[in-house]
Amino acid sequence: MFLNGKLFLSPPQDGSDFKELFKRLAAAGAGRPLGSDGFPAGPWTPELLAEAISQIDSNRIGVDLRTVQLWFQENDKGISAANIRWLARVFGCDDPVATSEWQIELSAAQSKLTAKRREWKRVGNGDAVGARDMESIATFAGETDPRTEPPRYTDAIESGRRLSLARKSEALFTDGSRLNLPASVFAGISALGFLSFTIGIHNVEYGRPDGVVKQVGFLWTANWTFVFMVFLPLFLASVSEAVTSWKNQERPRIIRCGGLEESYHAWEHIVDDLSYSFWAVFLICLLFAGLFQWIGVCLIPLVHGGSNFAMDWSKFAIVQPEIVSIPETIAFTGLAYLYMCLCFYLLFSGLILLYAIVDDIWKLGEAARNRSGAHVDLDLDEAGFGVMRWVFRCTVLGVLIATVMKLQSSYLTSSGENILAWLLSDLSSALYERADAGNRFSYTMPTHYSSLLVAISACVVFLYGAIRLGVGSQFQIPLYKMSGVVALLVGGYLLIDAFSGFSLLLGVAGLLAIYGLVDPGFSPARASKSGNDQSVS
């Protein structure tokens, strides 16, 4: 049936909830104008429906695309009373009588959804689920009509049963305040610092057999204090800003400007496709970086005594049991390594999300250029450069984390009394041309390997972004400067303790890196202004 030149479907009045009713109408294209051949124009997409609602004359504020996307997705989100009015206008084909009928039908469907949502939450809280309940929930999940989305995204029951680690990890960066995640990491290391005071290992010294007395207290370990109090919180805040801005602002803008239809490849689906990556990283961090490393580095030496690892706060009970007991040290190191492995999971999760943003903007750019032509190139280049500014910041912070980890590990083998004295001694040996004649011990240093993994992972994401988004871009010169800083910082990391005076190279690279965190483009006013105009920069 056609009404006012549009496809009109009468309200079914079959007791369907809003999700069921909307899915059928969107698939049929109810309310869409007829095509030039006189046939229906096809199903609704979030972009087309949002545009149609926003073009209603009496609707002055329009509707947010994200709101319309939620109607299409498999979730428990309904529709507000204000939007029921506008959706009824669309399905009613601007006919007053038909619009009134659809307003009544949509209001009843929303009430049905609200009641079913309460029942679904009750079932999810652990109540018994019978066959009739499962059938009702399956209908609510949309399994009766799989035409609008691929099957892997319509099975809401299976998604509820299994742990969606990818979605939950992404939500840590995007939900709530962007301060939450960095503050949580800072609070964790602060709590460990207070515990170290309690058990007495915050400031302890160890006399090596060669007579060198080294500071091995917990609060003197740069790979715990600097990493988890400064660099990792900054890294997490940067990733949170990048992902939130891309997801909520830049991505919808590119889709609108490029004339794309992105209901099928929504951001949530992209995150879901990376589920195996999140799980792989989580298991590696938990088992290898956490459990197995704690057993090999801390537990076995504490229980059996002696090891080929350098003496530090985690094994100090072996030589000074009157200061801290072995059971106390086992408990403290267990908490510390659990905290550490979870924090490194957050770090690698952030790198995965940055990779997803780079890959997403590259694919959207290709689709927009093929659809809209060359006039979209400038907007895409600016958006890509805005993304690369955040990728550069995160890469710099990632390499700085790896650098601090390797510095602490190298210090334990040196003759320095503490890490600051060791670095100053190396710097003076370069400035005054004195050879470093200190004694060195040969230890097994697993931190060297783990720091290398962090550095490589951060650089791979930056390299991928530079290749995907930098080729042909008008912002090539700032990207070259970014690449030079990353290369210098990586060179400083690799040459730690390789020669006398390495700290001079490391200091120069560190100063440039810190400046790059403030102005990632290292650019004049004009380029800086164009970058600052981007909401993701």
Side-chain angles (χ1 to χ4, degrees):
M1 179 179 178
F2 303 106
L3 184 63
N4 294 333
K6 301 176 181 178
L7 177 64
F8 176 73
L9 299 179
S10 301
Q13 299 180 349
D14 57 356
S16 300
D17 63 49
F18 174 73
K19 286 293 184 180
E20 298 167 346
L21 181 62
F22 179 80
K23 185 180 292 186
R24 294 198 297 268
L25 294 170
R32 288 202 65 184
L34 300 180
S36 58
D37 55 0
F39 286 87
W44 286 107
T45 66
E47 292 77 15
L48 293 174
L49 184 55
E51 182 180 2
I53 293 175
S54 299
Q55 288 177 350
I56 298 176
D57 295 335
S58 56
N59 186 5
R60 296 181 179 179
I61 61 175
V63 65
D64 185 65
L65 175 61
R66 176 60 180 162
T67 300
V68 180
Q69 289 175 336
L70 291 175
W71 300 345
F72 279 82
Q73 294 171 4
E74 298 297 342
N75 51 43
D76 59 354
K77 303 295 183 182
I79 183 173
S80 66
N83 286 328
I84 285 178
R85 176 188 176 188
W86 308 124
L87 193 58
R89 284 280 299 270
V90 173
F91 291 157
C93 302
D94 287 327
D95 180 80
V97 177
T99 297
S100 178
E101 293 176 354
W102 267 114
Q103 195 161 340
I104 296 173
E105 181 73 9
L106 289 172
S107 298
Q110 172 60 22
S111 299
K112 181 72 173 179
L113 175 63
T114 301
K116 192 173 290 187
R117 182 168 51 192
R118 293 195 190 101
E119 178 66 16
W120 195 27
K121 289 182 178 179
R122 182 187 66 81
V123 173
N125 286 334
D127 294 345
V129 182
R132 185 176 299 177
D133 293 327
M134 290 302 298
E135 180 180 356
S136 174
I137 296 174
T139 302
F140 166 66
E143 294 179 354
T144 58
D145 187 3
R147 293 174 293 175
T148 57
E149 290 194 65
R152 56 177 172 169
Y153 299 128
T154 58
D155 195 348
I157 299 302
E158 288 300 320
S159 297
R161 285 178 177 174
R162 66 175 181 264
L163 175 62
S164 181
L165 182 64
R167 290 283 188 94
K168 291 183 182 296
S169 300
E170 188 261 355
L172 289 175
F173 290 91
T174 57
D175 289 356
S177 172
R178 297 169 193 178
L179 183 63
N180 292 345
L181 199 56
S184 299
V185 172
F186 185 87
I189 190 61
S190 300
L192 289 176
F194 281 117
L195 284 177
S196 71
F197 266 104
T198 303
I199 65 176
I201 59 171
H202 63 287
N203 183 25
V204 291
E205 294 181 343
Y206 166 68
R208 282 195 326 203
D210 60 349
V212 175
V213 178
K214 301 186 68 65
Q215 174 59 250
V216 294
F218 179 81
L219 296 183
W220 284 84
T221 52
N223 61 327
W224 287 87
T225 52
F226 273 96
V227 167
F228 297 114
M229 284 187 172
V230 181
F231 295 137
L232 186 58
L234 288 175
F235 175 89
L236 298 176
S238 299
V239 173
S240 179
E241 181 70 28
V243 177
T244 303
S245 299
W246 171 250
K247 174 182 176 180
N248 297 330
Q249 300 174 24
E250 285 301 298
R251 193 175 195 274
R253 183 180 67 83
I254 291 177
I255 290 173
R256 288 194 301 270
C257 295
L260 303 176
E261 298 179 0
E262 278 299 306
S263 60
Y264 187 86
H265 297 292
W267 172 255
E268 289 78 7
H269 299 171
I270 295 173
V271 174
D272 286 340
D273 288 340
L274 293 168
S275 178
Y276 288 106
S277 298
F278 281 99
W279 272 109
V281 168
F282 178 75
L283 292 176
I284 290 174
C285 289
L286 183 64
L287 296 179
F288 292 93
L291 180 62
F292 295 154
Q293 184 176 210
W294 173 69
I295 292 174
V297 175
C298 299
L299 184 60
I300 293 177
L302 287 171
V303 173
H304 297 288
S307 69
N308 196 33
F309 301 107
M311 178 60 64
D312 62 1
W313 57 269
S314 65
K315 295 175 286 294
F316 191 70
I318 298 175
V319 295
Q320 294 286 342
E322 67 277 6
I323 295 179
V324 56
S325 67
I326 288 180
E328 286 177 333
T329 305
I330 291 175
F332 180 79
T333 55
L335 287 175
Y337 273 73
L338 176 62
Y339 167 83
M340 179 191 66
C341 72
L342 294 177
C343 286
F344 275 103
Y345 169 73
L346 293 176
L347 186 148
F348 286 109
S349 295
L351 293 175
I352 293 174
L353 291 173
L354 291 176
Y355 163 84
I357 294 176
V358 171
D359 192 62
D360 190 26
I361 191 175
W362 175 70
K363 290 179 180 177
L364 290 178
E366 292 296 313
R369 289 187 179 96
N370 293 335
R371 184 184 181 99
S372 303
H375 67 278
V376 300
D377 284 356
L378 181 60
D379 287 341
L380 288 170
D381 284 346
E382 290 178 349
F385 180 66
V387 169
M388 283 305 300
R389 287 163 65 93
W390 286 112
V391 172
F392 170 75
R393 284 189 177 105
C394 295
T395 300
V396 166
L397 289 168
V399 179
L400 286 175
I401 289 172
T403 300
V404 173
M405 293 170 64
K406 187 176 180 181
L407 275 174
Q408 179 65 28
S409 182
S410 298
Y411 153 72
L412 293 176
T413 68
S414 72
S415 59
E417 296 180 0
N418 57 62
I419 190 169
L420 293 178
W422 173 57
L423 290 175
L424 290 175
S425 174
D426 176 79
L427 182 61
S428 65
S429 67
L431 296 177
Y432 299 104
E433 299 182 355
R434 291 188 295 103
D436 185 4
N439 297 328
R440 294 181 181 275
F441 270 57
S442 177
Y443 294 112
T444 300
M445 295 181 289
T447 307
H448 275 26
Y449 177 69
S450 56
S451 67
L452 182 62
L453 292 180
V454 173
I456 291 176
S457 300
C459 292
V460 164
V461 174
F462 178 81
L463 181 62
Y464 182 76
I467 293 174
R468 286 298 196 196
L469 306 181
V471 177
S473 170
Q474 63 170 333
F475 300 102
Q476 282 188 346
I477 294 178
L479 285 176
Y480 290 152
K481 295 178 181 179
M482 294 180 188
S483 302
V485 172
V486 172
L488 184 62
L489 195 58
V490 171
Y493 160 79
L494 294 175
L495 295 176
I496 288 177
D497 205 23
F499 58 91
S500 295
F502 74 90
S503 57
L504 185 61
L505 172 64
L506 195 60
V508 173
L511 289 175
L512 286 174
I514 293 173
Y515 179 81
L517 295 177
V518 180
D519 179 18
F522 295 91
S523 51
R526 181 176 61 181
S528 178
K529 180 179 179 181
S530 66
N532 291 334
D533 288 339
Q534 303 305 310
S535 59
V536 296
S537 61

